[in-house]
Short mmCIF file of all heavy atoms in Angstrom, two decimals:
data_model
loop_
_atom_site.label_atom_id
_atom_site.label_comp_id
_atom_site.label_asym_id
_atom_site.label_seq_id
_atom_site.Cartn_x
_atom_site.Cartn_y
_atom_site.Cartn_z
N SER A 313 88.60 118.42 108.78
CA SER A 313 87.67 119.03 107.92
C SER A 313 87.74 118.47 106.48
O SER A 313 86.71 118.33 105.81
CB SER A 313 87.94 120.61 107.82
OG SER A 313 89.24 120.83 107.27
N LYS A 314 88.91 117.90 106.17
CA LYS A 314 89.03 117.21 104.86
C LYS A 314 88.31 115.95 104.77
O LYS A 314 87.76 115.61 103.83
CB LYS A 314 90.60 117.04 104.46
CG LYS A 314 91.30 118.34 104.32
CD LYS A 314 90.93 119.17 103.12
CE LYS A 314 91.76 120.36 102.89
NZ LYS A 314 91.20 121.27 101.71
N THR A 315 88.35 115.28 105.90
CA THR A 315 87.59 114.04 106.01
C THR A 315 86.12 114.28 105.88
O THR A 315 85.35 113.44 105.20
CB THR A 315 87.95 113.31 107.29
OG1 THR A 315 89.33 113.13 107.41
CG2 THR A 315 87.20 111.90 107.45
N ALA A 316 85.63 115.33 106.44
CA ALA A 316 84.21 115.76 106.34
C ALA A 316 83.93 115.98 104.87
O ALA A 316 82.78 115.57 104.36
CB ALA A 316 83.89 116.78 107.17
N ALA A 317 84.79 116.69 104.16
CA ALA A 317 84.53 117.01 102.83
C ALA A 317 84.54 115.70 101.91
O ALA A 317 83.79 115.64 100.93
CB ALA A 317 85.59 117.97 102.33
N ILE A 318 85.46 114.81 102.26
CA ILE A 318 85.45 113.55 101.49
C ILE A 318 84.20 112.81 101.72
O ILE A 318 83.59 112.18 100.78
CB ILE A 318 86.62 112.70 102.06
CG1 ILE A 318 87.95 113.30 101.59
CG2 ILE A 318 86.68 111.21 101.46
CD1 ILE A 318 89.21 112.77 102.29
N LEU A 319 83.64 112.70 102.91
CA LEU A 319 82.35 112.08 103.21
C LEU A 319 81.20 112.73 102.35
O LEU A 319 80.53 111.98 101.77
CB LEU A 319 82.02 112.26 104.68
CG LEU A 319 80.59 111.92 105.08
CD1 LEU A 319 80.35 110.44 104.88
CD2 LEU A 319 80.34 112.22 106.60
N SER A 320 81.25 114.00 102.26
CA SER A 320 80.17 114.70 101.47
C SER A 320 80.34 114.41 99.97
O SER A 320 79.32 114.14 99.28
CB SER A 320 80.32 116.26 101.58
OG SER A 320 80.06 116.64 102.95
N TYR A 321 81.60 114.16 99.51
CA TYR A 321 81.83 113.96 98.03
C TYR A 321 81.30 112.52 97.82
O TYR A 321 80.60 112.29 96.84
CB TYR A 321 83.35 114.04 97.74
CG TYR A 321 83.64 113.74 96.34
CD1 TYR A 321 83.66 114.80 95.37
CD2 TYR A 321 83.83 112.45 95.86
CE1 TYR A 321 83.90 114.51 94.03
CE2 TYR A 321 84.08 112.21 94.60
CZ TYR A 321 84.13 113.27 93.59
OH TYR A 321 84.43 112.97 92.29
N LEU A 322 81.63 111.59 98.67
CA LEU A 322 81.24 110.18 98.41
C LEU A 322 79.78 109.98 98.62
O LEU A 322 79.13 109.22 97.84
CB LEU A 322 82.00 109.27 99.37
CG LEU A 322 83.55 109.27 99.09
CD1 LEU A 322 84.27 108.58 100.25
CD2 LEU A 322 83.89 108.62 97.80
N ASN A 323 79.12 110.70 99.55
CA ASN A 323 77.67 110.69 99.61
C ASN A 323 77.06 111.15 98.24
O ASN A 323 76.08 110.54 97.81
CB ASN A 323 77.18 111.60 100.70
CG ASN A 323 77.38 110.94 102.06
OD1 ASN A 323 77.41 109.75 102.24
ND2 ASN A 323 77.35 111.85 103.08
N LYS A 324 77.58 112.16 97.72
CA LYS A 324 77.03 112.81 96.59
C LYS A 324 77.24 111.99 95.26
O LYS A 324 76.35 111.78 94.54
CB LYS A 324 77.61 114.19 96.33
CG LYS A 324 77.10 114.93 95.04
CD LYS A 324 77.77 116.23 94.92
CE LYS A 324 77.21 116.88 93.58
NZ LYS A 324 77.96 118.25 93.38
N HIS A 325 78.44 111.42 95.15
CA HIS A 325 78.79 110.72 93.89
C HIS A 325 78.75 109.17 93.96
O HIS A 325 78.74 108.62 92.88
CB HIS A 325 80.21 111.08 93.55
CG HIS A 325 80.45 112.54 93.25
ND1 HIS A 325 80.12 113.00 91.96
CD2 HIS A 325 80.76 113.56 94.03
CE1 HIS A 325 80.27 114.27 92.06
NE2 HIS A 325 80.70 114.74 93.20
N VAL A 326 78.44 108.60 95.04
CA VAL A 326 78.24 107.20 95.15
C VAL A 326 76.85 106.81 95.93
O VAL A 326 75.96 106.31 95.23
CB VAL A 326 79.38 106.43 95.82
CG1 VAL A 326 79.13 104.85 95.77
CG2 VAL A 326 80.76 106.76 95.31
#
Side-chain angles (χ1 to χ4, degrees):
S313 61
K314 296 297 185 183
T315 304
I318 293 164
L319 170 64
S320 298
Y321 183 93
L322 296 169
N323 281 338
K324 178 180 178 181
H325 294 279
V326 187

